Amino acid sequence: MAYRYLLDGIGQVPVRQEASTFELPTDAEAWVQPYVTSYENERTETTAGAANDAQPKTCTGDTCSFGYPTLFDVGGSYVLLTEADVDGRYSGSHLEHRDGSGAYQVALADGAPVTAPGPLATPWRTAIVGSLDTVVGSTLVDDLAPPSKVKDTSWIRPGVDDWSWLSDGDSPGNADRQRDFVDYAAAHGLEYTLVDAGWQESWVPALVRYARAKGVDVLLWFDWNDLRTQAQRDAWLPKVKAWGVAGVKVDYMYSDSQSTFQWYDAILKDTARLKLMVDFHGATIPRGLQRTWPQVMSVEGVRGEENGQNPTRDVFLAFTRNVVGSMDYTPTWFSRPGRQDTLARELALPVVFESGWTSLGDHPEGFAAHPVAERYLEQLPTVWDETHLVSGGPARQPAGDRQVVMARRSGDRWFVGGILAGTADTMRAPLGFLGHGRWLLETVQDSGGDLERTVRTVTSRDTLAVAAAHDSGFAAIACPAAEGRTDCDTPVVTAPATTLALTPATATAGPAPA
């Protein structure tokens, strides 16, 4: 369900506030996130009436603010509240709730009015209603956004990148270390290497040429303060495009104001014109942006792996934040000091969570210590033809844990990811989504401090059962069984390592080869 207001006035139309309000039973289960512009607060399980107890820091008197998307269970039917089609004509909004009530009112960003040329259509006020599978599989937020403004999308290429900042914070400032990540991406068929804060103009062009010679493209991080004005964008974006950079990661916007959405409008036009893909980090949540501007590969707006680990949070995210658009969570830091989950659970996250660019969080040495995980990640797509919730939910299971098992299809292969938060349990995945015929099923699970891969033949009548330890999980791939087929792998394509040899004399700034 979605509705919006149409204001027919001519000239500048001011909107001071909205009376838009969603009424919930006060005893409805609720999964809420206290509102901050980074959307990086933890979510809490509560009830619609008692939600203000979740985080008093976002409250004024008896009224508290909550960010989208917000999930409620109303008598066994689920309701996910959010908004769609927000751009510079308006501001983003959030929900305000008075303690003890069931009413959640739409509030404009910063409590500030918006002004736009009339006639004005407000953003869509949106409720996705139904079973958990209906909620998880919904594309309503994208469907409500305007159609693509990019006619030629042939240059837009989702994929997997290795990202050094999470596991090796100083590495983005070290050209030699970045080459290690390029070499790893090339050896394992990853499409991209993402170079984060600390890169230097003196060596990035040479790194880009080195990477492209190996069949890898480079993505480059920017602080939004360096791209805020049109003059700054006109200086930087054509330059990095000439270097051969494939896309940019822009960070630290942290605002839902109308002026910030006007900035999004401007940089999206600029990047589309220059054929640069985009990842918005330190950003608001998606509101249909990827339909209108399909060069947007992912958006943060989430408390991800860089903010510490919380297995319960991850289960909540599958039913809330990730429903409304790609989520830049940055999973798979296998070598993380003091890691609080298991290897198999880390491996499952890129399947449970959808992102057009999936930024892997470990360094080459951390991945190399777990070849079973490397093999799985080499096969990982980031674009899916079909998604199903197989089992689980945000509420506790009878055994006291929470879990989710997600199945996503790419071509004729199904990828399955399961994560568990809390007490050890047997995770069960009915395989009815597979359809007719016999299927080869590869399952990766924890075993003796490492990962173990098993292969068997199944049909859609079978159920996969995995004994999962505390805060554990599993990952799997299924493909049609055929005589002589022993795995579901597709070949990893790599460019010859000796395509281009760079010397100190040639490793200088300059235009990228055509």
Side-chain angles (χ1 to χ4, degrees):
M1 183 279 293
Y3 73 93
R4 72 193 319 173
Y5 301 101
L6 301 176
L7 306 176
D8 294 331
I10 303 300
Q12 292 299 306
V13 178
V15 178
R16 291 185 296 276
Q17 67 177 40
E18 291 187 26
S20 311
T21 304
F22 295 93
E23 292 274 359
L24 284 303
T26 56
D27 62 350
E29 278 192 279
W31 291 268
V32 301
Q33 181 184 47
Y35 175 69
V36 289
T37 54
S38 67
Y39 293 82
E40 293 182 14
N41 272 340
E42 295 285 10
R43 280 176 166 78
T44 302
E45 183 179 61
T46 179
T47 63
N52 289 15
D53 296 337
Q55 178 54 277
K57 291 181 181 178
T58 66
C59 303
T60 302
D62 65 350
T63 301
C64 299
S65 299
F66 296 94
Y68 299 123
T70 303
L71 181 68
F72 300 90
D73 179 356
V74 183
S77 288
Y78 289 83
V79 181
L80 188 72
L81 301 181
T82 189
E83 63 180 351
D85 188 17
V86 183
D87 58 23
R89 296 167 297 170
Y90 216 74
S91 72
S93 71
H94 54 272
L95 298 173
E96 289 191 347
H97 173 252
R98 186 168 54 82
D99 193 32
S101 79
Y104 285 76
Q105 183 172 352
V106 173
L108 302 181
D110 306 323
V114 298
T115 303
L120 173 66
T122 71
W124 291 100
R125 308 294 164 222
T126 304
I128 300 169
V129 185
S131 67
L132 281 175
D133 190 41
T134 296
V135 170
V136 166
S138 175
T139 59
L140 181 61
V141 172
D142 283 328
D143 297 339
L144 291 168
S148 175
K149 295 184 179 182
V150 182
K151 292 182 179 179
D152 173 20
T153 59
S154 60
W155 52 277
I156 298 172
R157 190 164 63 107
V160 180
D161 64 83
D162 57 355
W163 173 54
S164 69
W165 181 88
L166 185 63
S167 60
D168 192 352
D170 294 331
S171 62
N174 185 321
D176 290 337
R177 185 57 169 157
Q178 288 305 303
R179 289 194 183 205
D180 292 340
F181 281 81
V182 168
D183 291 344
Y184 186 85
H188 294 275
L190 309 185
E191 291 85 352
Y192 301 103
T193 288
L194 171 56
V195 184
D196 213 276
W199 58 267
Q200 300 295 318
E201 187 174 352
S202 60
W203 53 258
V204 166
L207 178 73
V208 173
R209 292 196 298 272
Y210 178 82
R212 292 178 69 176
K214 290 175 169 283
V216 177
D217 276 319
V218 169
L219 313 174
L220 206 57
W221 177 95
F222 274 92
D223 185 324
W224 92 296
N225 286 296
D226 294 325
L227 298 173
R228 290 184 70 170
T229 68
Q230 190 64 55
Q232 289 173 311
R233 294 191 295 275
D234 288 345
W236 271 115
L237 296 180
K239 180 187 292 187
V240 301
K241 178 67 177 180
W243 293 347
V245 168
V248 292
K249 173 181 177 178
V250 190
D251 207 345
Y252 302 138
M253 287 74 73
Y254 294 144
S255 174
D256 282 327
S257 69
Q258 184 178 16
S259 62
T260 303
F261 276 95
Q262 290 168 346
W263 174 85
Y264 281 114
D265 293 345
I267 194 171
L268 287 165
K269 290 177 184 176
D270 292 338
T271 52
R273 174 173 49 83
L274 291 167
K275 297 185 177 181
L276 284 168
M277 292 172 282
V278 185
D279 172 16
F280 287 123
H281 213 65
T284 189
I285 60 168
R287 294 167 166 91
L289 191 68
Q290 288 177 280
R291 182 187 186 201
T292 309
W293 298 101
Q295 78 269 28
V296 178
M297 294 291 95
S298 196
V299 178
E300 191 182 24
V302 66
R303 189 170 180 84
E305 189 95 352
E306 67 186 67
N307 287 303
Q309 293 182 288
N310 182 337
T312 299
R313 168 219 302 163
D314 295 344
V315 175
F316 291 168
L317 289 174
F319 302 98
T320 53
R321 164 62 183 85
N322 207 192
V323 173
V324 301
S326 286
M327 188 171 75
D328 190 15
Y329 186 87
T330 64
T332 68
W333 189 1
F334 298 117
S335 65
R336 182 180 197 131
R339 181 168 44 78
Q340 297 175 27
D341 63 352
T342 68
L343 295 168
R345 189 180 174 284
E346 283 290 310
L347 185 62
L349 289 175
V351 179
V352 176
F353 297 152
E354 181 274 325
S355 182
W357 281 342
T358 294
S359 295
L360 303 181
D362 215 334
H363 46 63
E365 299 81 8
F367 287 121
H370 306 289
V372 173
E374 287 185 301
R375 177 177 182 159
Y376 192 89
L377 293 172
E378 288 173 355
Q379 302 300 315
L380 183 70
T382 66
V383 176
W384 308 103
D385 300 310
E386 193 175 349
T387 292
H388 286 289
L389 172 64
V390 178
S391 62
R396 290 188 185 277
Q397 304 288 307
D401 61 281
R402 304 176 202 268
Q403 55 182 269
V404 55
V405 178
M406 201 79 74
R408 302 186 189 271
R409 181 176 63 83
S410 175
D412 67 351
R413 298 189 299 171
W414 283 93
F415 289 74
V416 184
I419 58 174
L420 177 148
T423 309
D425 197 2
T426 297
M427 303 185 71
R428 301 185 184 278
L431 300 178
F433 59 86
L434 291 176
H436 299 298
R438 297 167 63 251
W439 294 77
L440 201 65
L441 179 68
E442 302 181 30
T443 306
V444 178
Q445 62 191 96
D446 295 295
S447 177
D450 205 343
L451 293 167
E452 177 184 50
R453 171 179 167 269
T454 58
V455 182
R456 64 189 177 108
T457 302
V458 298
T459 71
S460 61
R461 296 186 298 273
D462 292 321
T463 295
L464 172 63
V466 178
H470 181 86
D471 292 342
S472 182
F474 71 92
I477 308 177
C479 58
E483 186 174 353
R485 188 172 194 175
T486 60
D487 61 54
C488 294
D489 291 358
T490 58
V492 175
V493 179
T494 60
T498 57
T499 300
L500 177 65
L502 293 176
T503 67
T506 60
T508 58

